[in-house]
RNA sequence: GGCGUCGUCGCCAAGUGGUAAGGCUAGGGUCUGCAAAACCCUCAUCGUGGGUUCGAUUCCCACCGACGCCUCCA
C-alpha cells in the first residue's frame, strides 16, 4: 500500500508521490536560535524525525534541510530577537547564535533526533536572499520603499491559498504599522534598511540592511532543494504569515510551484494553552530530559497524531512512561532469555511465533503509511507486547532464533523508526559485567534462603536491592533482574 | 469579527456508514512463600439538537464549548 499524507495545501489526504521516485526532498522550518528550546519545539522536530526515519526505512533517499534563523526575525517592537538577547547578555549577536545553535543540537541529539542533512543559516545566505529579492523586483512582485523592499501581495493572486485566507480590501492600516513604506497592510518586508545601532547588517543594492524573516526559507529551500520540491514541514503556528509568504515569494520568483506537500504539526499546549516563550509557560528540554528518559518523551509525543495538539502535564508524561515500561519490560525479558539460553532447547523452538511477528510488522507499516499514524503504530506494538508476554511467560520453550527475531522486530519498528526502543542497555563493558555478576551472586544467595524457607532473609536481599534500583522478578524459569 | 482545528471510557488517545484500537488508572481473578512482572475478566454508544440513510459516533446543517491563527512564537 502506498503512503498517504494529509496535504495542508489541498486540505485532504492524498497519495504521496515524490517528483523522482525513491528520492524525497524535504524542508522544515527550523528554530530562531536566541534561547533554549522547549518541549513545544520538540513536538515539531520529533514529528519530522519520525517522518524522515520512516521515509528512509521504506527505502527512500531523503534529503532533509532544516534552517537555523539567526537574523531578521523581529519582535513586534521591531527589534531583532538576536540583538535583544545579545544586549541582555552583553554578548555579540553571533555569540548568542552560536550558543543557542549548539544548545539546540545538544537537546535534539539527546532526544535521538536525526540531524538534518543541511542546517543552513540565514546569515550565511545573504547573497542568495538578495538575489531573490532582485528577481522579485524585476518581475514586478516587489517594490523599493524608503525603509526597505516589500513584497507586493496584490501582485500574487494566490496569496492565502495555504492558510485559506483572503486578502482584505478594507481596514488596511488598522494594524501592521511595522514597515512604514508599505503600500498595503498585507505587504511584507523582504529587505529592511538598518539604522546605525542595528549591528546585524549587510550591503545590498538598496543600502545597508538585513533580510526579512520569510525570505531566508525561500532562498535556502530553493538553493538546496530546487524551485519545486516534495515536502515542506513546520509548526501549524507558522502557517500564517510565514509559510504563506514563503510560497508567495518562491512561486512569484521561480514561476514554479513551491512544495508539493505541506505537513504541519499541531502545537503543544499546557493547560490548554499553547506552550510558548511569550506566555512563559514552557518547560525547557534540558529540564525535561533531567526528569524523563528521551524514549519516554518520544513515546509521549508520538502517542498523539502529529497534526493534533497535545496537552502537556507531568501526569501525562508519567502515564506515557508507564506504558513505555510495559513494552520495555517485555523487550528486556526477551533479551534476558537471549543472553541466558536454556540448554537443550532447539534454536527454532516456538517458531510458530515468527509469522505473528511478521503480521504485526505489516500492521505497523500499514498504520505508518496512513499519514504517519504513530499513535496507531504504538498501539500495535502494545498488542504485540501482549502476545510476546504470553509466549515468554508460558511453559513453552522459546528458541534463540525466535528470541532474536522478537528483539529484532522491536529494534526495527520501535527503535529504528520511532526511536522509543533503545539498544540493549548495559550488556557490555566491564562495569556491566561486574554488576551482573554481583547481582547473580545475590540472586543465588536469595534462592538458597528461599529453599531453606528463610523468607525474611530472602526478602531482605530483594528489598535492599530494590532500594538500589535493582528489581528482582521470580519467573517460572528463574529469577530475573532489571535496573530501574 | 474573519479563517481553521477539535469535542470518543475517570485520564490520554486511535478509528469506522453497519453498534468503538491501544496505553494509564480502578475493581475482580490466576500465578507467587509473599511480592514483582505477566496473563484473564469487568468498566464508553462517541458535546447538544435536527437532517440524509434501511442504518451515523462516522455525511450535512445549526447550536454549545475548547483551542489555534489573524501580531513574535515550532
Amino acid at each position: 500500500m502506498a503512503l498517504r499524507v494529509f496535504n495542508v495545501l489541498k486540505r485532504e489526504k492524498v497519495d504521496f508521490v515524490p517528483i523522482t521516485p525513491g528520492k524525497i526532498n524535504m524542508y522544515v522550518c527550523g528554530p530562531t536560535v536566541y534561547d533554549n528550546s522547549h518541549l513545544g519545539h520538540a513536538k515539531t522536530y520529533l514529528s519530522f524525525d519520525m517522518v524522515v526515519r520512516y521515509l528512509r526505512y521504506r527505502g527512500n533517499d531523503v534529503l532533509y534541510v532544516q534552517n537555523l534563523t539567526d537574523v531578521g526575525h523581529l519582535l513586534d517592537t521591531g527589534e531583532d530577537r538576536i540583538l535583544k538577547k545579545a544586549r541582555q547578555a552583553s554578548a555579540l549577536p553571533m555569540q548568542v547564535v552560536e550558543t543557542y545553535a549548539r544548545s539546540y543540537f545538544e537537546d535534539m541529539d539527546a532526544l535521538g533526533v536525526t540531524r538534518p542533512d543541511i542546517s543552513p543559516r540565514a546569515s550565511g545566505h545573504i547573497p542568495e536572499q538578495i538575489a531573490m529579492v532582485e528577481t522579485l523586483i524585476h518581475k514586478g512582485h516587489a517594490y523599493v520603499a524608503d525603509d526597505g523592499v516589500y513584497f507586493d501581495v496584490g501582485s500574487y493572486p494566490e496569496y492565502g491559498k495555504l492558510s485559506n485566507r483572503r486578502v482584505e480590501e478594507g481596514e488596511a492600516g488598522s494594524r501592521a504599522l511595522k514597515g512604514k513604506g508599505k503600500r498595503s497592510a498585507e505587504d511584507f518586508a523582504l529587505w529592511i534598511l538598518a539604522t546605525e545601532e542595528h549591528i546585524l547588517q549587510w550591503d545590498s543594492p538598496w543600502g545597508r540592511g538585513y533580510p526579512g524573516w520569510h525570505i531566508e526559507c525561500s532562498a535556502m529551500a530553493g538553493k538546496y532543494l530546487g524551485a519545486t520540491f516534495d515536502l515542506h514541514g513546520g509548526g501549524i503556528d507558522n502557517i500564517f504569515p510565514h509559510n504563506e509568504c514563503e510560497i508567495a515569494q518562491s512561486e512569484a520568483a521561480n514561476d514554479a510551484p513551491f512544495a508539493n506537500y505541506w505537513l504541519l504539526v499541531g502545537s503543544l499546549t499546557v493547560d490548554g494553552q499553547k506552550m510558548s516563550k511569550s506566555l512563559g509557560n514552557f518547560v525547557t528540554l534540558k529540564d525535561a530530559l533531567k526528569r524523563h528518559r528521551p524514549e519516554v518523551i518520544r513515546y509521549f509525543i508520538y502517542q498523539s497524531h502529529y497534526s493534533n495538539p497535545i496537552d502537556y502535564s507531568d501526569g501525562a508524561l508519567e502515564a506515557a512512561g508507564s506504558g513505555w515500561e510495559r513494552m520495555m519490560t517485555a523487550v528486556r525479558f526477551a533479551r534476558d532469555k537471549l543472553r541466558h539460553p536454556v540448554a537443550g532447547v532447539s534454536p527454532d523452538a516456538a517458531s510458530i511465533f515468527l509469522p505473528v511477528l511478521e503480521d504485526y510488522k505489516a500492521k505497523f507499516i500499514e498504520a505508518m503509511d496512513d499519514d504517519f499514524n504513530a499513535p496507531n503504530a504504538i498501539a500495535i506494538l502494545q498488542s504485540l507486547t501482549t502476545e510476546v508476554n504470553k509466549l515468554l511467560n508460558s511453559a513453552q520453550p522459546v528458541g534463540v532464533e525466535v528470541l532474536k527475531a522478537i528483539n529484532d522486530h522491536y529494534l526495527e519498528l520501535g527503535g529504528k523508526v520511532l526511536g522509543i526502543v533503545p539498544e540493549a542497555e548495559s550488556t557490555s563493558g566491564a562495569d556491566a559485567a561486574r554488576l551482573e555478576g554481583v547481582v547473580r551472586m545475590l540472586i543465588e544467595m536469595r534462592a538458597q534462603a528461599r529453599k531453606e524457607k528463610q523468607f525474611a532473609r530472602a526478602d531482605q536481599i530483594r528489598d535492599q536491592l530494590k532500594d538500589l534500583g535493582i528489581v528482582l522478578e521470580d519467573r517460572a524459569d528463574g529469577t530475573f533482574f532489571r535496573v530501574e
Side-chain angles (χ1 to χ4, degrees), chain A residues 325 332 336 339 426 431-444 446 458-474 479-484:
Chain A
E325 277 295 341
R332 292 195 191 103
D336 257 340
R339 246 177 293 140
S426 61
D431 285 349
R434 200 171 293 138
L435 175 70
E436 168 124 11
V438 170
V439 177
R440 291 261 158 229
M441 190 174 81
L442 288 164
I443 287 173
E444 284 306 312
R446 175 166 166 272
D459 290 349
Q460 188 191 5
I461 292 172
R462 187 173 64 193
D463 292 345
Q464 289 191 353
L465 280 173
K466 185 163 175 29
D467 289 342
L468 295 169
I470 295 166
V471 179
L472 299 191
E473 292 175 7
D474 296 327
T479 299
F480 290 84
F481 76 93
R482 61 188 160 90
V483 181
E484 286 193 323

Side-chain angles (χ1 to χ4, degrees), chain A residues 113-361:
Chain A
V113 172
T114 312
R115 289 240 185 166
D117 297 300
I118 304 175
S119 301
R121 295 188 185 190
S123 67
H125 296 72
I126 300 296
E128 288 85 348
Q129 295 178 73
I130 289 174
M132 192 157 197
V133 175
E134 285 188 300
T135 303
L136 287 168
I137 293 172
H138 291 321
K139 291 193 173 179
H141 290 294
Y143 56 90
V144 182
D146 289 344
D147 55 351
V149 183
Y150 293 93
F151 185 88
D152 177 8
V153 169
S155 76
Y156 182 73
E158 290 187 66
Y159 187 80
K161 67 180 176 183
L162 181 71
S163 57
N164 195 25
R165 216 167 292 252
R166 206 168 302 162
V167 177
E168 289 163 36
E169 308 292 329
E171 61 151 348
S174 63
R175 54 175 191 266
L177 296 170
K178 194 171 66 189
K180 295 193 182 83
K182 279 184 189 185
R183 288 180 195 162
S184 259
E186 65 274 8
D187 291 351
F188 54 90
L190 297 171
W191 188 266
I192 302 159
L193 294 180
T195 56
E196 198 66 33
E197 324 71 87
H198 199 103
I199 310 174
L200 293 171
Q201 50 176 282
W202 291 263
D203 281 323
S204 83
W206 317 284
R208 287 187 69 78
Y210 53 98
W213 173 35
H214 316 301
I215 193 74
E216 58 168 289
C217 286
S218 288
M220 298 190 292
K223 173 166 183 171
Y224 298 108
L225 301 173
T228 303
F229 57 95
D230 300 297
L231 196 162
H232 193 305
I236 186 76
D237 49 349
N238 274 336
I239 188 171
F240 189 91
H242 183 63
N243 296 152
E244 200 66 71
C245 295
E246 278 183 78
I247 294 178
Q249 293 163 343
S250 292
E251 300 196 341
N254 300 329
D255 293 315
F258 189 44
N260 288 144
Y261 301 91
W262 282 79
L263 269 56
L264 299 177
V265 176
S267 298
L268 186 83
T269 59
V270 180
D271 295 327
Q273 285 206 308
K274 198 175 87 168
M275 179 179 284
S276 72
K277 285 174 185 165
S278 42
L279 287 174
N281 60 348
F282 59 88
V283 177
T284 65
L285 286 170
K286 295 192 196 307
D287 284 342
L289 283 162
K290 275 179 208 154
R291 291 164 51 197
H292 306 280
R293 303 186 49 125
E295 293 88 353
V296 168
I297 295 175
R298 297 181 70 105
Y299 188 98
F300 169 68
I301 298 288
Y302 294 159
Q303 256 189 323
S304 20
H305 190 82
Y306 75 82
S307 62
N308 288 345
I310 302 181
D311 200 55
Y312 165 85
S313 69
D314 284 335
L317 249 173
E318 277 161 26
S322 300
W324 179 81
E325 277 295 341
R326 174 183 132 80
M327 182 184 70
M328 280 311 295
T329 299
V331 176
R332 292 195 191 103
F333 194 20
R335 287 174 180 170
D336 257 340
K337 282 177 173 280
L338 201 50
R339 246 177 293 140
H340 307 286
V342 180
V345 174
S346 160
D348 65 348
S351 64
I352 195 165
F353 196 72
L354 295 176
V356 175
L357 287 172
E358 290 310 311
D359 188 39
Y360 276 95
K361 178 174 161 179

Side-chain angles (χ1 to χ4, degrees), chain A residues 37-80:
Chain A
S37 302
H38 56 65
L39 278 168
H41 299 104
K43 178 167 176 358
T44 297
Y45 301 119
L46 280 174
S47 296
F48 288 107
D49 184 43
M50 167 195 78
V51 166
V52 170
R53 283 166 176 251
Y54 185 67
L55 291 174
R56 287 188 175 143
Y57 170 70
R58 298 290 276 147
N60 296 288
D61 175 15
V62 181
L63 178 59
Y64 179 20
V65 178
Q66 182 194 109
N67 67 296
L68 288 175
T69 297
D70 59 357
V71 63
H73 201 160
L74 307 184
L75 292 159
D76 49 9
T77 56
E79 193 172 16
D80 187 295

